[in-house]
Amino acid sequence: MTLSAIHRARPRDPLPEALLGELRARLGDRLATSAAAREQHGKDESAHPITPPDAVAFPTSTAEVAEIARLCARDGVPMIAFGVGTSVEGHVLAIHGGVCLDLSRMNRVLAVHVDDLDARVEAGVTRKQLNRHLHGSGLFFPIDPGADATIGGMAATRASGTNAVRYGTMRENVLGLTVVLADGRVIHTGGRARKSSAGYDLTRLFVGSEGTLGIITEITLRLHPQPEAVSAAVCAFPTVDAAVRTVIQTIQLGVPIARCELLDTLTVQAVNRYSKLSLREAPMLFMEFHGTPAGVEEQARTVQELAKELGGMDFEWATQQEDRNRLWQARHDAYLACRQVRPGSRAFTTDVCVPISRLAECIAATNEDITRASMPVALFGHVGDGNFHLVIPIDETRPADLEEAEAINRRVVSRALEMGGTCTGEHGVGIGKLDYLDAEHGDAMSVMRSLKEALDPRNLLNPGKVIRVRDS
Amino acid sequence: MQDVVENLSRLIRDAASRRRPLCIRGGGTKDFYGGEIRGDVLDTKPLRGIVSYEPTELVISARAGTPLVEIEAALQEKGQVLPFEPPHFDRPPQPEAPQPPAEGQLSIAPVPTEEKLATLGGCVATGLSGPRRAYAGAVRDFVLGARILDGKGAELHFGGQVMKNVAGYDVSRLTVGALGTLGVILEVSLKVLPAPAAEATLRLAAGPDEAITLMNDWGSKPLPVTATAYRAGSLSVRLSGAPSAVAAAAKKIGGETMDATHAAQFWSDIREQRAAFYAGNQALWRLSIKPTTPPLDLAGPQLIEWGGALRWLRSDADAKVIREAAARAGGHATLFRAVDKTAGVFHPLSPGLAKIHRRLKEAFDPAGILNPGRMYPDF
């Protein structure tokens, strides 16, 4: 089904007046029904058309979320959890209407246990806010998707970022959760113990469930000690292939590289313009090494040798924090920079992940798709774990653009699946990847569907995302 | 191999239609672990062999009945390891140790000793990890994908062989530690890591409070610590990594360096529970708690691992007392080895969580035939 068809086909019932009255009585002006508020909560960073909810609630506690959920469940009204709307697959779009629960006002860091290396936060705390809070503690929270997303949203989408090779993703860094279930009951999973073997691993089931199994309101996170020494390096390559080969050899040698990002020529050009840098306009690796001063130097030297053999040029160091931050901010802004390549456009992104041994081959074939495309398509990604993105800028006034972007995505995804990969390495399913899940999982979708039915039998939690149940 | 899978599927469908419980078993090395074992044995040993291993990929896929030793040997040849150091428990423990499983616990014939080889399936189903767990991650952190037969005999595949995958619910990891109650594991893909280039084990004299403080202090610093163990005044710490990093850290930590052979034996005895602490018939409790918890005021000898997050306890104390102490410390207690398991093996679930567990169990195994009672008595 095409995206436009998804948007047309949704049945929507208006919110019961009585429910609105009860929500307003409890939340006062923390319930918004204005067109502006609804529209603002009917979109994310994706190219999907705005699909507003019927009302937006701004709860400030787990108890309030639970109460809203009880009322919505009573009336059979859909509930959509919302952080800051930085998802890229239409995760937060209210395709069945309903009440959006904007959790951004639940933004307290509840506890930081420096000695235990953990922290408990409310869902609306953003990753940058948490790291500011941790400043001076010697600890940090490493997961860094490009946007300053909320921890709740990151848990719900099982987010990762540029540090995954070394520190893992949200999957490995969430220790426990407080979750409001579809009927308003509140449960606590996991805990502060590192290892939780009491029963099934519900924490990991909710992490990545995209708000379809429960609404995450509090998260206990694992923190990491700040590395004693950090150094960053950039290196240009004659071809994307040479850059990828350098990464593969680095990993084979067991160099514990912390970050390793590939930018193709178009991305480098876009980044140069957007972030006012003057990098050589060629395929490029951004790398970072964490460890002891001696270890960091050893790692970087090893990689430099490998890069040189494969034609690497301009291997440059950045040991000053300022320079490093500038570099990584530029990398994080690559998505925005690539959108600027075609001003006024919205971005359609792809997110495949393939086995590292097939990465060079997969990127080479994808490059042929890019060359044939009618718009400038940028390629960049987290090559250390086999995950890369295309940013396809589309003009909303031209339906042919969306069709072309979808066609490119279909080709990239089917190639990745053939290579034993996945259609989505870190962005999640939302509505954008729904159609690919059957191809990837086959019969296993039936178990996922029964898990959804087990936890949300009436399909009220973010309906129509991740999994199709009955009429969604 | 597909005929083996089809045969298992047929046995499951048959058992489901007759509602006859099945006991999923590989090498039988962890029969002692968990609750009641009953039903017809569903032998996973014929599911043997490494399906694919590409060292450059840092991924190995193997069938559930493959002995762990076989997997570890294949990895060692390429200088790689299973970073979570799974315990095998496949050699008889020290004399006088409980001869697990306990009387009355097992209504099926034990596996002959010569066939007792820990399998990958059992490693994943029990979700048990060894000394490096607190520093490298647990089994579940390394499972990338799994192939299972559910309680209806349907073959399902979750996850894959790639490092990152967010396409749908994380079902492969849900099966880790589920003790076979959600499905029969057929095949697992695991992330592996290069073996550390250098290792050193240091030993320091310390009291229990000081030991816990030291372990946590090391954990919060960028030191290449990969194992810690404290018992009776002696704190051992293992460092692994690049030679320069290990040497620099050893200097900072101090203490006495153990010779390599002795050190390897020491950590293996901890991992496989062959150290003297584990001998004898007294109940062995495993308390998973927040790492900074001071020494627990519970009767019986304790051994501390995982930077303070894991406390082994030999104790005849009341289960309730032990579980309350664990809960106060932010964790839970498992009756790991015992002759009498009437107190329940795992921490009881709250009514809300128990309900979700039952629903999940029903989603995977509607007839309730897969290892019933192995985790909790009622499913």
Side-chain angles (χ1 to χ4, degrees), chain B residues 264-282:
Chain B
Q265 189 61 47
F266 174 81
W267 292 113
S268 164
D269 286 349
I270 295 277
R271 171 176 171 179
E272 298 297 337
Q273 301 195 337
R274 285 193 302 265
F277 171 82
Y278 296 100
N281 286 318
Q282 199 173 30

Side-chain angles (χ1 to χ4, degrees), chain B residues 206-276:
Chain B
D209 287 280
E210 191 194 350
I212 291 169
T213 307
L214 278 171
M215 288 181 184
N216 278 285
D217 189 39
W218 297 330
S220 65
K221 287 196 179 119
L223 296 168
V225 174
T226 57
T228 45
Y230 175 77
R231 170 76 201 120
S234 172
L235 171 60
S236 306
V237 51
R238 184 180 65 191
L239 304 163
S240 321
S244 61
V246 169
K251 218 174 197 177
K252 264 184 217 163
I253 286 175
E256 197 184 313
T257 308
M258 232 190 267
D259 78 84
T261 323
H262 184 195
Q265 189 61 47
F266 174 81
W267 292 113
S268 164
D269 286 349
I270 295 277
R271 171 176 171 179
E272 298 297 337
Q273 301 195 337
R274 285 193 302 265

Side-chain angles (χ1 to χ4, degrees), chain B:
Chain B
M1 195 48 64
Q2 200 50 37
D3 53 327
V4 178
V5 173
E6 268 158 34
N7 187 41
L8 290 174
S9 170
R10 191 181 49 75
L11 291 170
I12 292 171
R13 287 197 307 271
D14 187 47
S17 69
R18 296 187 293 140
R19 306 237 157 201
R20 264 184 78 87
L22 288 173
C23 164
I24 309 159
R25 182 154 72 169
T29 57
K30 295 168 188 81
D31 280 348
F32 71 88
Y33 183 65
E36 193 189 9
I37 292 184
R38 64 193 165 96
D40 303 329
V41 173
L42 194 74
D43 186 5
T44 60
K45 284 199 296 293
L47 287 166
R48 187 163 177 166
I50 293 168
V51 178
S52 68
Y53 172 39
E54 189 57 55
T56 59
E57 206 59 74
L58 300 177
V59 176
I60 191 164
S61 299
R63 298 193 185 96
T66 315
L68 278 180
V69 283
E70 214 168 292
I71 293 171
E72 286 172 333
L75 293 174
Q76 196 184 3
E77 210 172 289
K78 302 290 178 186
Q80 298 183 344
V81 290
L82 295 175
F84 48 92
E85 298 186 324
H88 294 218
F89 297 143
D90 54 7
R91 269 179 281 166
Q94 299 230 332
E96 272 185 82
Q99 287 305 312
E103 293 276 330
Q105 201 72 36
L106 186 68
S107 53
I108 54 175
V111 174
T113 311
E114 64 279 10
E115 285 175 32
K116 270 200 165 193
L117 279 181
T119 62
L120 174 62
C123 157
V124 172
T126 54
L128 296 172
S129 307
R132 204 175 170 189
R133 189 254 175 269
Y135 306 96
V139 192
R140 55 167 55 97
D141 295 319
F142 290 89
V143 170
L144 298 175
R147 203 174 277 283
I148 68 165
L149 288 173
D150 70 7
K152 291 176 276 191
E155 189 178 342
L156 308 170
H157 185 223
F158 301 101
Q161 298 202 317
V162 291
M163 297 297 161
K164 294 198 306 197
N165 183 332
V166 290
Y169 304 141
D170 197 355
V171 182
S172 54
R173 306 211 181 183
L174 195 59
T175 63
V176 182
L179 287 166
T181 57
L182 298 180
V184 178
I185 300 169
L186 299 174
E187 190 184 313
V188 181
S189 295
L190 290 170
K191 181 180 165 180
V192 300
L193 287 179
E199 264 186 356
T201 293
L202 307 166
R203 183 165 274 180
L204 293 83
D209 287 280
E210 191 194 350
I212 291 169
T213 307
L214 278 171
M215 288 181 184
N216 278 285
D217 189 39
W218 297 330
S220 65
K221 287 196 179 119
L223 296 168
V225 174
T226 57
T228 45
Y230 175 77
R231 170 76 201 120
S234 172
L235 171 60
S236 306
V237 51
R238 184 180 65 191
L239 304 163
S240 321
S244 61
V246 169
K251 218 174 197 177
K252 264 184 217 163
I253 286 175
E256 197 184 313
T257 308
M258 232 190 267
D259 78 84
T261 323
H262 184 195
Q265 189 61 47
F266 174 81
W267 292 113
S268 164
D269 286 349
I270 295 277
R271 171 176 171 179
E272 298 297 337
Q273 301 195 337
R274 285 193 302 265
F277 171 82
Y278 296 100
N281 286 318
Q282 199 173 30
L284 174 68
W285 285 87
R286 176 185 195 271
L287 286 80
S288 180
I289 54 178
K290 71 183 171 77
T292 50
T293 311
L296 291 163
D297 186 18
L298 290 167
Q302 291 179 36
L303 189 150
I304 307 175
E305 270 195 87
W306 296 359
L310 182 63
R311 314 283 169 98
W312 296 102
L313 169 71
R314 304 301 305 262
S315 180
D316 296 323
D318 188 45
K320 202 160 164 263
V321 173
I322 294 172
R323 293 209 154 107
E324 277 168 7
R328 273 196 305 276
H332 52 80
T334 303
L335 185 51
F336 201 80
R337 290 183 195 261
V339 176
D340 176 9
K341 294 186 181 176
T342 46
V345 172
F346 298 104
H347 218 82
L349 298 168
S350 68
L353 290 179
K355 194 170 163 190
I356 294 181
H357 275 69
R358 274 191 296 272
R359 285 189 183 167
L360 293 181
K361 170 72 174 171
E362 262 172 45
F364 282 91
D365 176 22
I369 52 156
L370 301 177
N371 280 1
R374 187 80 192 257
M375 184 176 245
Y376 288 98
D378 57 336
F379 58 89

Side-chain angles (χ1 to χ4, degrees), chain A residues 201-209 213 451 455, chain B residues 169 174 360:
Chain A
D201 192 352
L202 297 179
T203 304
R204 274 161 178 99
L205 182 62
F206 284 109
V207 169
S209 63
L213 300 180
L451 290 179
L455 283 159
Chain B
Y169 304 141
L174 195 59
L360 293 181

Side-chain angles (χ1 to χ4, degrees), chain A residues 196-461:
Chain A
S196 214
S197 78
Y200 299 142
D201 192 352
L202 297 179
T203 304
R204 274 161 178 99
L205 182 62
F206 284 109
V207 169
S209 63
E210 303 187 8
T212 63
L213 300 180
I215 298 173
I216 296 169
T217 57
E218 277 177 30
I219 305 100
T220 303
L221 292 167
R222 189 174 167 182
L223 304 175
H224 296 262
Q226 288 274 9
E228 197 183 338
V230 176
S231 80
V234 291
C235 185
F237 289 86
T239 59
V240 167
D241 192 59
V244 171
R245 278 175 211 287
T246 303
V247 176
I248 292 173
Q249 293 189 11
T250 302
I251 288 170
Q252 277 172 37
L253 280 179
V255 177
I257 194 164
R259 292 164 136 179
C260 182
E261 302 282 303
L262 167 76
L263 291 77
D264 78 348
T265 308
L266 183 72
T267 309
V268 173
Q269 286 165 351
V271 162
N272 272 345
R273 249 195 317 276
Y274 188 89
S275 302
K276 313 218 168 8
L277 297 174
S278 51
L279 302 165
R280 182 200 282 254
E281 295 188 348
M284 188 154 257
L285 288 179
F286 279 29
M287 293 165 280
E288 195 165 277
F289 308 92
H290 293 182
T292 58
V296 162
E297 203 179 316
E298 205 173 290
Q299 291 175 40
R301 226 173 272 293
T302 309
V303 178
Q304 187 169 8
E305 285 301 314
L306 289 174
K308 207 189 279 168
E309 279 170 35
L310 286 155
M313 303 162 276
D314 312 342
F315 195 95
E316 255 183 74
W317 291 86
T319 44
Q320 294 300 312
Q321 189 167 6
E322 252 170 63
D323 298 339
R324 283 204 320 268
N325 287 351
R326 193 148 162 258
L327 209 57
W328 286 105
Q329 190 56 47
R331 164 60 191 91
H332 277 137
D333 289 338
Y335 171 77
L336 295 171
C338 292
R339 273 171 59 172
Q340 297 296 315
V341 169
R342 202 174 174 198
S345 64
R346 282 178 66 84
F348 186 106
T349 56
T350 73
D351 180 35
V352 295
C353 187
V354 296
I356 301 163
S357 58
R358 308 294 297 271
L359 185 62
E361 182 190 347
C362 187
I363 288 183
T366 304
N367 266 324
E368 286 175 28
D369 294 334
I370 293 179
T371 324
R372 280 197 296 272
S374 69
M375 62 280 270
V377 178
L379 183 154
F380 58 85
H382 321 292
V383 285
D385 44 36
N387 179 214
F388 69 91
H389 309 295
L390 299 182
V391 176
I392 311 171
I394 60 172
D395 180 343
E396 279 178 298
T397 62
R398 285 169 43 94
D401 274 16
L402 183 59
E403 273 169 40
E404 186 178 348
E406 282 176 355
I408 294 173
N409 192 28
R410 273 196 297 277
R411 271 200 299 281
V412 176
V413 169
S414 69
R415 184 177 299 129
L417 295 184
E418 271 165 35
M419 291 179 171
T422 173
C423 66
T424 177
E426 61 177 6
H427 291 168
V429 179
I431 53 177
K433 299 280 193 307
L434 267 178
D435 285 339
Y436 300 114
L437 251 56
D438 286 319
E440 188 167 332
H441 296 299
D443 291 343
M445 285 309 288
S446 65
V447 166
M448 291 199 198
R449 207 163 280 125
S450 51
L451 290 179
K452 167 76 173 168
E453 275 160 15
L455 283 159
D456 179 20
R458 295 163 68 202
N459 193 23
L460 297 178
L461 292 169

